[in-house]
Each structure stands twice: as C-alpha cells, then as structure tokens.
Amino acid sequence: MAAPAQSLNLLKEPSIQQGVLGDRTNRSLHWFAILLSCMTVGLLVAGALVTSNEAGDSVPDWPLSFGRWLIKSNNFIANVRYEYSHRFVAGVVGATTLIFALWAYISERRVWMRRLGLIALAGVIAQAGIGGLRVLLPEYKAAIAVPHALVAQSFFGLIVAMAVFTSSSWSGVGESRPDTGNPGVRRLATIAVAAVLIQLVLGAGFRHGAFGIIPHISGAIVVTALIISTSVITIRRHGGDKFLARPAKLATALVLVQAGLGVAAYFARLAAAGDPQPLEPMISLTVAHLVVGALTLASVLVLCLRSHRALSVQGLKMTDVTAVEFRSPRRAAV
Amino acid sequence: MLRRISTICVIILATILIVVSCGRKKPAEKDGKDSAGSAKQQYASKGDEGTITGKISFDGAPPASKKIDMSQDANCANSAGEKTTDDVMVAEGKLGNVFVYLKGGPVDKYSFPTPSDPVVLDQQGCRYHPRVLGIQTNQTLKVTNSDSTTHNIHPSPKVNQEWNQMQAQGAPAIEKQFGRAETLIPVKCNQHPWMKANVGVLGHPCFAVSAKDGTYTIKNVPPGTYTLVFWHEVLGEQTQQVTIAAKESKTQDITYKAGATPGAPSMQIGPTLLLP
C-alpha cells in the first residue's frame, strides 16, 4: 500500500506539477502514442469505408449490434461488415486510449501531459456517444456525422501531438532561435492547422450532404496555398534544421497528393452517380482522400508544435518549465 | 486549459442535443386535416366519379441496364431473378414504374377513409417488390422478407418520421403507417445498398403506378379540375391539367424523352445548407 501512496505523493510534488520534464523522455509512452496514432488511422479508414459504402445505417441498433456485442457470423455480410468492423475497431481504440490515458497519468511528470491524456479519453468517449446518436437518430445524419468526423480528426491530432511531446527530439531541442521574418513560421503553422481543421469540416459536410462542393473546393485552394507557402518559408529560413524542415517537406508532399486525390475522388463520384451501388474506384479514392487529409493534418500539426518549441519571438528558449505556457505564446514571451 | 476545453466540449454536445430535440419531427398526424390543421370534410360519394386512364411512352433509346454486384452476400448472389438495374423500366417503348397522382381540386379539399387492407412491400431476391408503390396516409405498409438473409428497411422521409428497422429471415412482417402526405419517400436497405424503393403517400386514393406496358388507371375520381402529376425516380416529373366531369372517362397519355433526366442523381454543386 505504501508504494502507490508514494507515487501519488510524487505526482503532487510542486516541481513536477509545474511540468518540469528534466532530461528524461518517456520513450515507452512515446511508442505507445505512436501505436495509438496508427490504430487511429486504422479507425479512420474503417469509418471512411462505412461512409463510402453507404453502410452507416446497416446496423440499426446501438450500442449493441443486432442485440449482441459480438454478432453472429451469418450477420457479418454485405455492408454490415463495414459498420460492425468500424464499431469493433473503435472499441479497441477506446480501450487502448483508456490504457494510454492511465499510463500517461501515472508515468508523466508534466501535469499538462497528464491532462491531455484525460482529454483524449474524454474525446474517445464523446466520439462513441456521437457515433451512437448518428445510428439512433438517422434523420439527423448530416448534423451528427459532421461533428463525428471533426472529433475523429481532432482526436487523431491530439494523439499525434502527445507522441510529439513524448519524443526525444522534443526534449532534446537546444537553444531556440528567433522566429524572424514576417509572418513568422510559428504563426503561419498555427493558421495552417486551423485551416486544415476547417477544411476537414467542409469535406465532411460535403460527404454527408450538409454542404455543396463549392466550400470544400474553395477551402482546398486556400489550404494548399497556405501549407505550401508555410513549408517554403520554413525551409527557406530553417532548411538546415531537420526538426522543422522534415515536417514542412512532408506536409507539402501530402497536401499535393491530397489535392490530386480530391480531384480524382470528385470525378469518380460524378462517374458513379448512376451506379446501382457504391463501386470501385470511387470507394478507394474517397477513403484515401480522407486518410491523406488526416495525415496532412498530422504533419502540419507536428510542424506547428515543433516551430513553437524550437523558435521563439525574442530568441528565448522555450524551456521545459515554459513549455507549460506554449499554449499562450503571448504569456510565454512576457 | 482543461477547464476551457471541457466547457467547449459541453457546449458542443449541448448544442447537438438542443438541435436534435428542437428539430425533432412532429409525430404522425391523423389524416383528415388541411395544411392549417383544421379538419377536412369527409368525402361523400355521389356515384358520379370518373376515371382517368392512359399510357406512358418512352421516346428514344432507354438507358442500358447496369449489372448489380451482389457478391457481398451469397444469399443474394445465389437468389433467383435479374441482377441488373431496373430504375428505368422500358418495354416496347412504354415506361413502367411511373407514379401518377392527382393534385389540387376536390381530392385535396376532402378527407377520404383509410383503406383497411395493407399495402405490401416484399423483399425478394434482394430487391424490393414493387419498386414504386402508393399508399394512403395512415394506411398500413406491410413489409415482408421472402429472402434467406437479413435486411434493414430504412425510409428517408422529409415530413414523416424516419425509421430504420432490421428484418431477419423468416421474421414477422413489419407494419408501419405514414401520417402525412409525401411524394415520394425513398426506401433503402443499408445492408444491400442497391435495394431501393419509393413510396408515394397521399391523403386520397386517386393515384396509380404504371404497369410494365406503361398503362395506368385512376378510378373513382371526384368531378373537378386537377393537376395530373407523373413522377419517375430517374426521369423526373411532368404535369398535365385535367378536368373530369361527372362519370367521365378520360385518357391522358404522356411521353418521356430519352436524355431528359432531371431527376437523375447528380452532385450538389451549390453550397446549400441542409442542417436543421
């Protein structure tokens, strides 16, 4: 009984509550976060397959499926395969998130990291609830499916961010350099993250029939231009720093692939309008478009976080203590 | 930070709940009310009703049927019957599955008794039979499953209450009513996405669905002037004005032209907001 009590006391130590990271990194939690990120990509694929195959209402009940937790094999046919697989993978991701949140809470010294773990857990629970509402209230398909998509992408972004925060490269950043130039890389990357999230909402809105295609195409032009210009500026100013240059290059590559997939998916959907059922290549293209969209968000988010870590407005290093404050750059600068 | 994020999450969930609860569709109303909600007078037959008959033609080459891939469910793939699309059913230049109904005039002024016989929608060969059907408000729609697989029946009405119900092999028939007139309600099986039907719900009995040879008959039409509506799920809607005198029989033919597909599924280009 003494050991857990000591652990709790340790967590209450002022230095730890202030978020002092020290020179140690949480490598096991880092790899667990990467594993959870990959599982979340799998969950996004499963969800995208449900929408692309028009399988969202194929299992009319929730949280049970045909009145059971594990459905009978003769029910696992046609579109039920997609919907039930989505529920199953979501359950696995939810359970893994619970372990992850507990692990972060116990092992992390940074208070805000422990809180992020709890937020991730709350997010995955809320996401399950929204998914349930989507099934139980089919008449509000778009109104519920769009928040479901947004929470899914946000959850993925949060897990990616936690993988970044637990990485050795995050804690191994040396003296920060000034974020010279106007606009600064930090600001551009932050705007790019917000723009990608908005674009994901517009895409989900189009996919679920809430909006037309025009807002999504307009958003695509803005986001593509924003990501490319952010990356070009980052590489031009900090090209020698792999910490920043790598996610910038990756984001550019992904957004170009994403734009190509978007055009292909659009024309595939046009061509499939008269088909009796969802068919290839429309299914694969729309699923790939969604997944590459999520990966684009992840790459831009990594660039944003790393730029806030490595660059500072006044050339100050964002130390481990001030890392707590990175959410409020203005306060950190003061 | 945590408090802020929690507040935002609570606000989002509360908004969703408010939208869902405030936007909930009204329960089905009993037939026999006009648009203002006041009771309509019951129609009393004088024995002078007329009849409208006609033939619906299709001018041009009909669209080629497409193969349906039922391989996802062996029960469907091994079932008897055609595995091709039948949304545009043309035989010797005549068009079937057109929903024909009267709008305006006496049929909208009076209420009509609800038939006690149900209208049957069967699932056979992983297809809906019939594909297009008409029903009166509050008349029973009886959905049966003659297949050796599970289906789900999911109508997506705009003014009636939406429902989605599974029906296993050998399960008893599902019986439902639609309380409000609505033309037409798409019905879909989300497990087998090629399965589609359309249900026309009217407050009166003056409707028909064209047969394979394109013919239709609407009997017991109260004398008056109407808009005769022809609705096809792919080819769209056409109308004619028609006046029926006492005991008159009138022929109203119409032709759909190939290539004119106003009702064809298309991408929604404009930024129309459909959220409640």
Side-chain angles (χ1 to χ4, degrees), chain A residues 54 66 79 140 209-210 270 277, chain B residues 23-24 166 188 190 267 272:
Chain A
E54 298 173 12
F66 302 120
N79 270 355
Y140 301 107
L270 273 184
Q277 66 204 94
Chain B
R24 186 174 276 279
M166 134 194 172
K188 195 175 170 183
N190 300 102
M267 297 288 280
T272 48

Side-chain angles (χ1 to χ4, degrees), chain A residues 54-55 57-58 60 66 75 77-81 115 119 130 133 137-140 142-143 147 206 209-215 266 269-270 273-278 327, chain B residues 1-2 5 16 20 23-25 66-69 72-73 85 149-150 152 154 161-162 164 166 188 190-194 196 265 267-276:
Chain A
E54 298 173 12
D57 294 305
S58 59
F66 302 120
N75 275 333
I77 49 167
N79 270 355
V80 176
R81 294 172 302 172
R115 286 177 177 170
I119 289 170
I130 297 170
L133 285 177
L137 301 168
E139 61 267 49
Y140 301 107
F206 169 64
F211 310 119
I213 187 67
I214 296 296
Y266 177 73
R269 280 188 73 164
L270 273 184
D275 286 345
Q277 66 204 94
R327 296 153 305 196
Chain B
M1 183 69 171
L2 181 61
I5 290 172
I16 290 171
V20 165
R24 186 174 276 279
K25 288 169 189 170
K66 292 186 176 179
K67 187 174 176 276
I68 297 173
D69 178 16
Q72 299 173 7
D73 187 340
T85 52
T149 191
T150 301
N152 78 299
H154 184 189
Q161 187 71 47
E162 188 166 338
N164 180 19
M166 134 194 172
K188 195 175 170 183
N190 300 102
Q191 297 184 17
H192 308 102
W194 60 85
K196 287 165 190 165
M267 297 288 280
Q268 180 191 338
I269 299 296
T272 48
L273 188 70
L274 300 178
L275 291 165

Side-chain angles (χ1 to χ4, degrees), chain B residues 2-3 14 18-19 44 49 79 83 97 100-101 111 115 125 133 153 178 204-206 227 232 243-244 263-265:
Chain B
L2 181 61
R3 197 174 298 167
I18 289 167
V19 165
E49 289 80 10
S79 63
K83 305 285 187 294
N97 278 343
V100 190
Y101 64 99
S111 71
L133 59 100
I153 303 95
F178 296 102
H204 58 79
C206 297
T227 301
H232 189 274
T243 300
I244 297 292

Side-chain angles (χ1 to χ4, degrees), chain A residues 237-288:
Chain A
R237 293 180 193 164
H238 311 284
D241 186 356
K242 286 180 182 172
F243 190 67
L244 295 175
R246 273 186 182 164
K249 287 175 184 170
L250 183 63
T252 303
L254 283 171
V255 80
L256 290 175
V257 171
Q258 177 68 344
L261 278 173
V263 172
Y266 177 73
F267 284 107
R269 280 188 73 164
L270 273 184
D275 286 345
Q277 66 204 94
L279 294 171
E280 294 293 355
M282 186 276 289
I283 296 170
S284 296
L285 284 169
T286 48
V287 170

Side-chain angles (χ1 to χ4, degrees), chain A residues 17-34:
Chain A
Q17 283 189 329
Q18 282 166 11
V20 176
L21 182 65
D23 55 358
R24 286 192 297 170
T25 56
N26 203 339
R27 285 193 67 79
S28 49
L29 190 65
H30 171 66
W31 284 109
F32 197 72
I34 289 175

Side-chain angles (χ1 to χ4, degrees), chain A residues 176-188:
Chain A
S176 67
R177 284 160 288 132
D179 187 13
T180 52
N182 193 17
V185 169
R186 289 163 31 130
R187 178 172 293 177
L188 272 174

